[in-house]
Structures are given as C-alpha cells and as structure tokens.
Amino acid sequence: MAQTSTTSLNADRRARELAALADGEVVDLLVVGLGVTGAGVALDAASRGLSVAAVDAHDIAFGTSRWSSKLVHGGLRYLAGGDVAIAYECARERGILMERTAPHLARPLPVLLPLGPYVSSGLARRHRVGIAAGDALRAAAGTASATLPRARRLTVEQTLRYASGLRRDGLRGGHLHWDGQLEDDARLVVTIARTAAGLGAKILTRCRVTALAGDGGQIRDELGGTELTIRARSVVNAAGVWAGQLVDGVTLRPSRGSHIVLRRERLSGLDAELTLPVGGLTRFVFAVPQATGLVYVGITDEPVDGPIDDVPQAPESDIAYLLDALGSAMAEPVRRDDVVGAYAGLRPLLDDGQGHTADVSRRHAVLTSRDGVVTVVGGKLTTYRKMAEDGVDAALRRHGLAAGPSRTRRLPLVGAPVGPTSGGRTGGVRTGGARTGGVRTDRAAEERLVRRYGTEAAAVAALSERDPSLLQPITPSVDITGAECVWAIEHEGALDADDVLDRRTRIGLVASDRAAALPGVEAIITGAGAGG
Ligand SMILES: Cc1cc2nc3c(=O)[nH]c(=O)nc-3n(C[C@H](O)[C@H](O)[C@H](O)COP(=O)(O)OP(=O)(O)OC[C@H]3O[C@@H](n4cnc5c(N)ncnc54)[C@H](O)[C@@H]3O)c2cc1C
C-alpha cells in the first residue's frame, strides 16, 4: 500500500473527488485548464481559503506549458523593446521563483552571446548596455547577485571555455549574463498543482469542459465517459490557445514556436546557453544545454491558421531554419541526422476582431465575459504567479466573493526548502551524504533526484525498499529510474504510460528513448495498479 500525503495525486483521489462533485458539491471556483496558468490559479485560490476544482481535458501540462524553452526569463527581450514594466514584472517573478517558491526547480544559467562576425560592433554595444540594464533590473527586483551573478565581457579564450565548438575565425570574445533555467516546465506545473492539492484543491485530469458559464461547467469524464455538472460560485477559463472555444468574444490566433533536440555530445563543450541574434536584439536562436544530456535549440515564430491541434508538430522548414542558424556559428555544421527530437508549442495571440492581433504572449490578459467567466490568457511561465493572482482577484470582484489577498509570493511549492535561499544550487536541500532515505545511492544519482524532487528526493529513493531494481534507469539510454515512474503514478497524478513518459518525465522528447522505455513503464503501471 503506497503512503500518500495531502499533496499526492493519483487515480483513487481523482475518483473520490469527481464523485463528490457529481453528488452536487458546489465549489467557490472552477478552473478550466491545468497548464501553468490554471494550476497557478488553483493554487492562488486554494491558498486564500477558497474551495477549488481545476479540470483538464487531458493531463496536467498537456498544452503549451510543456513545449516552452524551460527558461525563467528576466525580461531582457522586453527591455530591448522598451517595455520596462513587463521586464520588471518578469525579473521580480523570476526572483520569487528562484529564491523563494521553487529554488529546487530553477537554477542559474549562464547565457553567452559570442561576438562573432554575425554580431556587428553596433549590435554588440547595444547588447552590452542591455545586459547591464538587466543587472540593474535584477537588483531592483531584489534578486541577489549570489543567485544570478553580474554580466561581464569575456575574452576569446574565456568564450571558448563556455562553448569550445564555436567557429574561431572572426571571434572577438563574448558577453556573458545570467538568467533562470527550469529543471523542466511540466515538472513545475505538476508541482504547482500538487501544492494546490495540498491546500484542498481538487485536481482532475481527463475531464473535458463541454460548456461553460459564470456559475459552472458541463464536464465529460474522458475515462468513464459520464457527463456531470460542476457548480461553482466563480469560474476562470485558463484553457490557453483553446480558451476561445469556451467563451464567446475571446478569439485567439496562435503562433507556433518550434525547438529541436540534440544530444549534448553533438555540441560538446557547451556549458552555457548559446544565443545568436537573428533579428536585432529581440529575436535570437538559442541552444540551451540540459542536465539530462540533451540540448534544446529554439525558436521559431510562425502564425498558424485553422483548427488548433492538440499536439502541434515542428515542420521540416522550422527544423531547417534552426539548424542553419546554429550551424552559422559552429566550427562543425549540425546536420539533420543529429536531430533526435523536435517539438512545437503555440503562443496565444489575441485577435481584436478587426483582423489585428495583439501579442499577449508577453503581456497577459484578463477578460471577463458578460455572464462572469474570467479568462486569463497569454503571459509566460515565468509570470504565472502574477497572472493567477490577477485572475483570482477579477473572479472575486465579479462575483462579490470575500477572500484575503494573494499569498503565493511567499508560499513554497512542494519540495522547496522552507525559507528564502539564494545561489540557485539545490535550495540548500540535503539528503544525507551518500545515503538517501536509508537507501544507498551513488552521488550523481542522488544529486539528480534532489534536482528534480527537492526535499522529496529521499521519499522517491525510498521506493526502492519495495524492490531495489527500482533505482535502476528504466532503460539504459536515460537516467530516469523505475522509482520515479512509481512516484509519478502514486503521487503526481500520472494515469497512464503517456503521462509518465511525456509529462512527468520527458523521456518522450526523444522518440527512440520513448520506445525503449515504454515496456518498462507499462510493467510498472501494471504492477502498481495505478492507485494510491
Ligand atoms: C515555443 C514557446 C516557448 C516558450 N518558452 C517560454 C520560456 O522559456 N519561459 C517562459 O516563461 N515562457 C515561455 N513560453 C510561454 C509559456 O509557455 C506559456 O505562456 C504558458 O505555458 C501558457 O500556459 P497556459 O496554462 O496558459 O496554457 P496551456 O499550457 O496550453 O494550458 C491550457 C490547458 O487547457 C486545457 N484545455 C483546453 N481546452 C479544455 C477544455 N475544453 N476542458 C478542459 N481543459 C481544456 C489543455 O489540455 C491545456 O492543458 C513559451 C511559449 C511557447 C509557445
């Protein structure tokens, strides 16, 4: 029998909570969508003492939230565009995430702009001013320089220490600044949802909203096939690019952003995010090394018309564009057969109804329909907390509900050490030398668990007391262990192999790894009975 806590999500809890709602329980707030926005809204409301049901048609982090660049932006791009207010909001939220609410999931990332022939001296000068302004913004936002060190100019030799595979001809040195990097975007969303669950929120996946009004929604249970009504005193629509399908007057025209996935060996010697300007100081192609041994290279920006796919695909034209841009800076070209995976996500662009679009991927919008549904759309992963606060404030105002102010600024997410931290290491988490929860593990494996689970690392490792083989990787080409798959099912709400492979772990980003891991994950699901 698995040990569960109030933050544990699993099939049994889902069934119980769905039954209570079907029996007529009325909640203060119904939230549609369990991306970062909806999970954030659920947490904000639950932490103010409201009763919450948050539903997703598929799974936690099924939509855009798992297809991001996995960065916690300080808003440098917006600063370059002259939008100081948005840049400040990003810098402040980045600091809250890295130092207080999720230091275990976000860490400092060196960002390198090599000064090669593709960077004019004018552009280099403006970039230098920009990163200095970014430093000032960090300080103004109250983030310590121990968390994000100051920007500096690098010599050619220092530049090559961060990226030894760069073309050397014409290289004049580099600029280095620091930003935040997430362990993984879907992991952040699951962690926010579990934190909300710990405060009593009902987190219900495979529940599709088929009709929505200011006092609740019609839900189809995609597992059981039954229909039910969830009655609520207020409603927030956080369905991302699908938000317009639920509320009249909200029209979105998405834009696709693609990434390719490379093995780190292919860009060996890359120890920083490599950024290459492709459009002044507001458009870059970048390569971000991951602790998993992969590198994500992004990003494109292409309008998408017509039906919105559940899972958008990166077309060959996007892949070729990214390979070209990266290849222009590297000594050895990167080839199509070096690409082991590709993914695409959709940015929400709000259509103003007169053929124009407004880019709410940088500034979030809170819109209230005539019957009182509050739609929160746009923004960034980085600013999810503020978006959630604004959305809940609007819902409370519209429906005359009483609750205190938002508390999330100081609320650690599940796994975060309690109390402020700086330095972005593992948030001061310790699992006790070479032993983790009484189970002997090697140091690298232990550090990896702490990086992904924070203070819960010991509990994940302790699952191997049931079966020592659970501490082995689920397949030799990845480092995810069987214990992590069991944890995903018993505590993180994974209901099937897709949830485990594509969202709780990101094994699915490399198709060959996914195929190799599938039998092991399926065996664990059968063995675990997918219950709690
Ligand atoms: C390519 C790309 C890269 C990005 N990189 C970054 C980055 O590095 N850092 C950063 O801060 N931001 C980044 N962003 C922005 C960020 O990813 C998004 O702003 C954010 O993830 C949007 O989250 P969301 O919750 O609003 O939408 P989503 O994550 O799309 O969530 C919406 C959810 O609603 C559910 N849903 C839809 N219809 C229904 C229905 N009828 N019933 C029930 N549920 C429903 C869906 O299943 C989905 O899970 C990036 C965006 C893109 C496109």
Side-chain angles (χ1 to χ4, degrees):
M1 181 71 173
Q3 265 205 334
T4 60
S5 80
T6 55
T7 64
S8 299
L9 297 173
N10 48 53
D12 286 354
R13 179 170 178 167
R14 176 185 180 278
R16 249 190 345 263
E17 295 187 339
L18 204 51
L21 291 167
D23 276 352
E25 182 182 328
V26 183
V27 289
D28 291 326
L29 177 67
L30 168 65
V31 187
V32 186
L34 280 166
V36 76
T37 309
V41 167
L43 175 58
D44 188 282
S47 63
R48 297 191 204 202
L50 299 172
S51 59
V52 177
V55 299
D56 198 287
H58 302 276
D59 183 23
I60 301 169
F62 182 86
T64 302
S65 296
R66 70 174 150 139
W67 303 128
S68 81
S69 310
K70 296 125 179 55
L71 300 172
V72 200
H73 288 295
L76 210 53
R77 207 186 103 199
Y78 310 133
L79 210 53
D83 212 331
V84 180
I86 296 184
Y88 178 74
E89 182 170 281
C90 286
R92 193 195 54 210
E93 294 300 321
R94 176 185 63 181
I96 291 172
L97 202 71
M98 293 186 76
E99 292 188 339
R100 201 171 289 276
T101 57
H104 57 316
L105 294 179
R107 52 197 61 91
L109 173 73
V111 183
L112 173 70
L113 178 89
L115 299 175
Y118 34 84
V119 180
S120 70
S121 52
L123 191 66
R125 254 193 319 275
R126 283 190 287 132
H127 186 260
R128 187 72 214 249
V129 172
I131 56 178
D135 264 348
L137 208 58
R138 170 197 53 75
T143 308
S145 60
T147 303
L148 291 170
R150 292 201 170 81
R152 63 194 170 100
R153 173 82 154 83
L154 302 181
T155 62
V156 171
E157 199 177 273
Q158 289 167 329
T159 302
L160 291 170
R161 247 181 257 147
Y162 279 102
S164 61
L166 282 172
R167 256 173 53 198
R168 292 167 192 222
D169 49 309
L171 189 65
R172 318 187 297 279
H175 290 165
L176 189 78
H177 75 277
W178 295 76
D179 214 344
Q181 179 178 30
L182 288 170
E183 170 64 23
D184 180 56
D185 44 13
R187 175 143 291 282
L188 173 69
V189 183
V190 169
T191 306
I192 298 168
R194 285 188 56 212
T195 311
L199 294 163
K202 295 178 169 62
I203 303 293
L204 302 166
T205 60
R206 308 303 198 284
C207 286
R208 179 179 293 279
V209 173
T210 53
L212 199 61
D215 60 356
Q218 275 301 119
I219 312 291
R220 189 170 61 230
D221 173 0
E222 301 278 24
L223 291 183
T226 53
E227 306 268 343
L228 69 142
T229 303
I230 296 185
R231 292 166 56 216
R233 297 182 186 91
S234 62
V235 174
V236 170
N237 169 22
V241 283
W242 299 275
Q245 296 174 357
L246 294 170
V247 177
D248 286 342
V250 176
T251 312
L252 293 161
R253 289 178 59 198
S255 144
R256 185 186 61 241
S258 299
H259 292 79
I260 54 176
V261 182
L262 306 173
R263 301 252 185 232
R264 206 158 162 172
E265 308 86 86
R266 190 55 202 79
L267 291 176
S268 63
L270 185 64
D271 278 326
E273 174 188 332
L274 180 66
T275 60
L276 304 166
V278 289
L281 285 181
T282 51
R283 286 203 64 192
F284 292 90
V285 164
F286 46 81
V288 193
Q290 309 292 313
T292 52
L294 298 175
V295 179
Y296 304 148
V297 182
I299 194 175
T300 59
D301 193 346
E302 294 294 328
V304 177
D305 287 317
I308 302 171
D309 293 337
D310 280 352
V311 181
Q313 300 297 317
E316 281 299 326
S317 52
D318 284 13
I319 295 172
Y321 164 83
L322 294 170
L323 284 173
D324 271 4
L326 183 63
S328 68
M330 306 308 289
E332 297 272 325
V334 187
R335 280 184 271 275
R336 180 64 182 86
D337 56 9
D338 294 321
V339 177
V340 293
Y343 64 87
L346 299 175
R347 302 178 186 85
L349 300 184
L350 208 52
D351 195 329
D352 67 2
Q354 291 163 36
H356 303 116
T357 55
D359 183 356
V360 292
S361 63
R362 47 194 221 136
R363 187 196 294 274
H364 63 272
V366 178
L367 312 163
T368 305
S369 69
R370 235 179 252 137
D371 67 350
V373 176
V374 171
T375 296
V376 188
V377 72
K380 306 240 100 198
L381 280 158
T382 309
T383 55
Y384 83 91
R385 194 206 61 79
K386 181 68 170 81
M387 293 170 65
E389 178 179 336
D390 292 351
V392 173
D393 281 346
L396 293 174
R397 255 194 324 271
R398 172 63 174 76
H399 295 276
L401 296 172
S406 176
R407 294 183 46 224
T408 50
R409 200 182 274 237
R410 296 186 173 277
L411 189 71
L413 301 183
V414 170
V418 177
T421 59
S422 65
R425 291 165 295 271
T426 49
V429 178
R430 293 285 177 273
T431 54
R435 292 180 75 81
T436 302
V439 179
R440 188 159 287 280
T441 62
D442 73 53
R443 185 126 201 109
E446 181 184 313
E447 282 175 4
R448 204 186 65 75
L449 280 188
V450 173
R451 215 179 61 222
R452 293 175 59 76
Y453 300 93
T455 57
E456 292 191 320
V460 178
L463 288 173
S464 65
E465 285 166 8
R466 292 183 202 169
D467 172 0
S469 73
L470 287 176
L471 276 190
Q472 297 307 312
I474 194 78
T475 188
S477 59
V478 302
D479 51 13
I480 301 287
T481 62
E484 291 172 81
C485 300
V486 173
W487 185 262
I489 294 157
E490 294 183 356
H491 301 278
E492 295 181 338
L495 298 179
D496 61 20
D498 293 347
D499 292 356
V500 174
L501 290 162
D502 297 329
R503 285 160 300 266
R504 302 309 176 279
T505 73
R506 303 309 297 275
I507 295 172
L509 286 175
V510 177
S512 56
D513 290 345
R514 191 186 198 285
L518 182 61
V521 171
E522 281 176 338
I524 282 176
I525 289 174
T526 313

